[in-house]
Amino acid sequence: MTASQLISVSPDELRFHFELEKQTFCDLKVLNNSENYVAFKVKTTSPKKYFVRPNTAVVQPWDSCIIRVTLQAQREYPPDMQCKDKFLLQSTTVNPNTDVDDLPPDTFNKESGNSVEELKLRVAYISPTSPEGSSEDDASKNSQSFDTSSVSRFSSTVPFVQISLNFEVPFLFFILNFVILCI
């Protein structure tokens, strides 16, 4: 890290435990290395593949922020488990007490005369069968998987339950009214 860097990011590479049909995430810690308020924005070469929150924020002087990058569930393995996706983290100083919603649209635009620092991050996939995938090192602590098959099973059964309840209750009232009228 050079003394002029506004922010530093840890880890310096996004590592995802890759499994088919499972969503996984990696947390990044962004540290403001200055006495100024610093705004950052995260961009990626594959925006439909990843969900980044927050993707834009303002960090107070000497403070830090956690960014969660989520790899959406994938239907097929990448060739040789290699990933060419990259992330770009842009940062610039902003006025004190600036809110992220108050950032002008050209905040991260160098052509507007703003001093914007850029930090590039690579992406690595870790196979669950690799020695790295089964260890309890820092990468595994920063990356987690979620089985999305249970979510899809749940979401497909919920409408059925709602539909059956919507029809059963009126039907029961109909039967009760019919019985009462017949008596």
Side-chain angles (χ1 to χ4, degrees):
M1 174 180 87
T2 62
S4 64
Q5 278 186 309
L6 291 174
I7 60 170
S8 56
V9 178
S10 175
D12 59 358
E13 179 181 61
L14 290 138
R15 299 168 68 83
F16 296 97
H17 292 273
F18 190 96
E19 291 185 58
L20 286 183
E21 301 296 327
K22 287 192 178 182
Q23 181 175 289
T24 182
F25 69 85
C26 180
D27 286 342
L28 294 173
K29 183 176 183 178
V30 176
L31 175 65
N32 181 349
N33 297 318
S34 76
E35 58 191 26
N36 302 304
Y37 281 69
V38 174
F40 71 81
K41 181 174 190 160
V42 181
K43 296 180 178 181
T44 181
T45 55
S46 300
K48 292 183 179 181
K49 204 170 173 182
Y50 300 94
F51 184 72
V52 181
R53 284 295 175 262
N55 63 345
T56 306
V58 176
V59 185
Q60 295 180 13
W62 311 113
D63 201 0
S64 64
C65 172
I66 299 293
I67 302 172
R68 174 152 294 177
V69 181
T70 304
L71 171 64
Q72 301 302 318
Q74 302 295 300
R75 294 186 178 170
E76 55 189 43
Y77 285 103
D80 299 324
M81 286 295 287
Q82 298 297 311
C83 182
K84 295 184 179 181
D85 300 334
K86 293 182 180 82
F87 283 81
L88 178 67
L89 202 140
Q90 297 178 304
S91 59
T92 187
T93 57
V94 294
N95 292 328
N97 300 315
T98 300
D99 188 64
V100 70
D101 296 330
D102 298 333
L103 294 173
D106 66 346
T107 300
F108 302 98
N109 189 344
K110 290 180 178 180
E111 287 76 35
S112 300
N114 297 332
S115 174
V116 179
E117 289 186 12
E118 295 183 340
L119 198 115
K120 294 177 182 175
L121 300 169
R122 299 178 140 242
V123 176
Y125 292 151
I126 301 167
S127 169
T129 58
S130 75
E132 279 187 80
S134 61
S135 68
E136 283 294 321
D137 59 2
D138 286 341
S140 64
K141 292 175 188 169
N142 289 338
S143 177
Q144 300 292 323
S145 296
F146 295 107
D147 185 358
T148 57
S149 61
S150 62
V151 173
S152 59
R153 272 185 270 135
F154 177 76
S155 62
S156 65
T157 58
V158 171
F160 175 77
V161 171
Q162 289 175 341
I163 290 169
S164 65
L165 284 176
N166 289 341
F167 288 106
E168 285 178 19
V169 173
F171 183 71
L172 289 174
F173 283 119
F174 173 77
I175 296 295
L176 284 173
N177 285 333
F178 181 76
V179 171
I180 292 171
L181 287 175
C182 291
I183 295 180

